[in-house]
Amino acid sequence: MAGLILVMIDGVSADTFRIRRGRLANLASLAASGLVVERLSAAVPGTSLPGRASILTGAPARRNGVYGNRLLDEAHGAFRYASPYDVRLPTLPRLAREAGSTTAAVGMGMVRPEDVDVFAHPWWVGSFVQRARDARPEPLANGWENVAGTLDPSGALAEAAAKAGVPDAFDALDLDDASVAAMAGFLGDRRVAEWVGALATSDDAPDLIVTELLMTDTVQHRSGYDTPLSQWTTTLMDGLIGDLLARLRDAGREDAYDLMILSDHGHGPVERALRPDVLLPGETFVSEGGLLHVLTPDAPTRERVTGILAEVGAQAYPTAYLPDDLQGVLSSFLAPDGVSFEHDGEAPDGPWATPSAVSSHGKRPGHPDDDRFLLLAGPRIEGGVVPRAEAADVAATAARLLGLDVAPFEGTPLV
C-alpha cells in the first residue's frame, strides 16, 4: 500500500497555479495525470496557522481552536502566536500513528514533536523568535518552546540524510548579515525538501510525511502579487518538488507514495492599510490580514469599537467561526476590499497608510484571492478535475488515503 507525502506550499493562490502552471514544470506534470482541485476554499481566517490547523485536523477554527496566527492569552490580556499546543483536536499524523502507521513531520508547523515518529522543527522557529520572517521579532510563546530546537530526536533523519548525502542540520547562518539573512528562508526550504526526499527513500521510510515550503508567502508579502520575484520564488518551490520526484525515481520508489500538494491560503494585491492602533488607542487587538480581532469584553466596548471602525468602512463580521469560549469576548471586523489591517511600524498621521505588505491574504471570507490550489498524484489517484472543494475536504481525503476512519472528519474525501 502506498504511503502519503503531504506538501504545503505557502500562499500559492488558485489563480497563480492556474495562470502560471506553464512555468511550474513539475507541478504541471503531476497535474496532467493527477486530480486537480481548481479552487480550494481557505479556512476562516485565510491566514497561515489557521490554514495549517485546518489541513491537519479537517475541522474549522471553532473546533480546532486556531482562529488566527495570534490567539488571545486571557491571563495576560494580550495576543500571542498560536502554537501546536493550541490545536484542540488530534492531527492527522497523530491519528495515523495511533492506527499503526509510521509518521514524520519535517519542517511542518502546528505539529507536536511527540505526535510523530520523526520530527524536524520548521526552519522558521528559532530560540528567541517565533518566525524568522517577522518584521519585528516576536517572543516565543507557550508551546513553541517545546518545538524550537527539536530536531531528529529519533535519529532516523540523520541516518536517512547520511545515506542520501545531504546535511543533517539546518545551515548555521549569520542572520546579522542582511545579505545572508535574505536567503535564509530559501536555504531552509531547500533543506526541508532534501530531508523529505531522504526519508522517503530510506530503508524505513515513513508511511506519512507532512512538510511545508514557506518562501512563496514571504516574498509575495514583500514584493507583491505575481511580480517577477514572486513568480521566480514559486518556480523555485516547484524545483524543490522536482528534487523530491527525482529522488523517488532514482530510488525506484515512484509508486511508493501518493502526493498531496496544496497551499494553506491564497494571495492578492493590497492597495491601502488601515491602522487600528490609530483608530483604537488603548484597545487590545490583532490583525489577520483583512480581518481584525478586538478584545471587547462588554457591550459598551463592543458598541464603541464597532462605531469607530464603521466610520472607515470596516464592518462587523459574525463570530460564529470562533470557539464557544470566545463568544462575547472577541469581536471581528472586515476591512474594505483591497485593504488590510496593519499595526506595526511608525504610526501615520491618520488611520490610512501605505501597506507594508503589498500582497496579503486573510481577506473577506470567501474572497477569491484567498482560494488556493490542491493536486493529488500517485499510484492510487485517478486523474480528473474538481472545480471546487472545501477546506475540510483536505483532511478527509488524506485520512482516506491513509486508511483511517473518515467518519469523524467534517469534509468529504475527494478520492
Side-chain angles (χ1 to χ4, degrees):
M1 178 177 176
L4 176 65
I5 299 175
L6 186 155
V7 183
M8 192 212 81
I9 307 178
D10 203 333
V12 179
S13 71
D15 290 332
T16 294
F17 185 66
R18 174 178 58 85
I19 295 169
R20 298 300 175 192
R21 192 184 302 186
R23 300 184 66 179
L24 307 174
N26 297 292
L27 293 176
S29 178
L30 292 172
S33 59
L35 180 67
V36 177
V37 176
E38 294 181 317
R39 305 197 78 86
L40 176 66
S41 67
V44 179
T47 50
S48 297
L49 300 184
R52 288 160 175 76
S54 171
I55 290 168
L56 292 166
T57 66
R62 69 174 185 274
R63 292 187 55 223
N64 71 45
V66 182
Y67 55 87
N69 282 340
R70 295 178 177 92
L71 308 180
L72 179 65
D73 185 337
E74 293 190 72
H76 296 91
F79 286 91
R80 48 111 181 129
Y81 271 113
S83 88
Y85 294 89
D86 291 306
V87 181
R88 300 180 182 183
L89 297 174
T91 60
L92 281 166
R94 175 178 165 183
L95 292 171
R97 191 183 189 202
E98 290 175 347
S101 296
T102 53
T103 61
V106 183
M108 180 71 172
M110 305 308 279
V111 178
R112 303 175 187 180
E114 63 268 26
D115 284 348
V116 291
D117 296 289
V118 182
F119 184 86
H121 65 79
W123 59 260
W124 41 262
V125 177
S127 299
F128 300 103
V129 294
Q130 191 261 330
R131 295 193 298 184
R133 66 191 181 101
D134 286 327
R136 181 182 66 189
E138 294 283 349
L140 282 167
N142 76 327
W144 284 114
E145 287 93 339
N146 297 331
V147 175
T150 305
L151 188 66
D152 192 28
S154 71
L157 180 57
E159 182 178 346
K163 179 182 176 182
V166 301
D168 63 357
F170 288 114
D171 294 308
L173 301 173
D174 178 11
L175 298 182
D176 291 330
D177 183 336
S179 62
V180 172
M183 296 303 296
F186 291 104
L187 293 172
D189 280 346
R190 172 69 184 182
R191 185 56 35 78
V192 164
E194 290 175 334
W195 286 343
V196 171
L199 280 173
T201 55
S202 65
D203 294 335
D204 297 313
D207 301 307
L208 169 66
I209 303 174
V210 296
T211 191
E212 67 171 78
L213 304 174
L214 182 85
M215 288 304 291
T216 32
D217 180 63
T218 302
V219 171
Q220 287 181 98
H221 279 305
R222 295 178 179 175
S223 79
Y225 177 73
D226 204 33
T227 61
L229 185 56
S230 295
Q231 293 175 26
W232 174 80
T233 305
T234 308
T235 303
L236 185 62
M237 298 302 107
D238 176 79
L240 297 183
I241 297 296
D243 180 86
L244 170 61
L245 296 175
R247 290 179 187 275
L248 290 170
R249 181 175 61 251
D250 292 346
R253 305 210 67 200
E254 304 101 309
D255 294 332
Y257 287 99
D258 292 311
L259 299 177
M260 173 182 280
I261 305 174
L262 76 162
S263 186
D264 51 345
H265 52 70
H267 247 274
V270 172
E271 300 165 1
R272 293 193 296 171
L274 257 179
R275 293 294 297 262
D277 54 329
V278 175
L279 290 163
L280 305 172
E283 301 294 343
T284 300
F285 56 80
V286 69
S287 166
E288 294 291 335
L291 191 64
L292 184 73
H293 291 147
V294 184
L295 176 62
T296 53
D298 52 60
T301 302
R302 194 156 45 249
E303 292 172 7
R304 178 171 53 80
V305 167
T306 300
I308 292 171
L309 291 172
E311 291 179 0
V312 291
Q315 300 176 337
Y317 181 73
T319 59
Y321 68 96
L322 295 175
D324 289 344
D325 52 299
L326 291 173
Q327 298 299 325
V329 177
L330 292 182
S331 293
S332 304
F333 299 90
L334 291 177
D337 207 21
V339 176
S340 183
F341 290 108
E342 292 187 5
H343 50 85
D344 289 327
E346 184 176 347
D349 294 333
W352 295 99
T354 300
S356 61
V358 294
S359 180
S360 197
H361 46 88
K363 300 187 175 184
R364 167 177 47 81
H367 195 291
D369 284 359
D370 278 348
D371 286 346
R372 50 200 167 131
F373 84 102
L374 182 150
L375 72 86
L376 293 160
R380 294 178 293 171
I381 307 300
E382 294 184 8
V385 174
V386 176
R388 187 165 194 90
E390 300 304 317
D393 298 341
V394 173
T397 302
R400 171 65 55 81
L401 291 170
L402 291 166
L404 301 176
D405 181 11
V406 300
F409 293 90
E410 294 188 18
T412 301
L414 300 170
V415 295

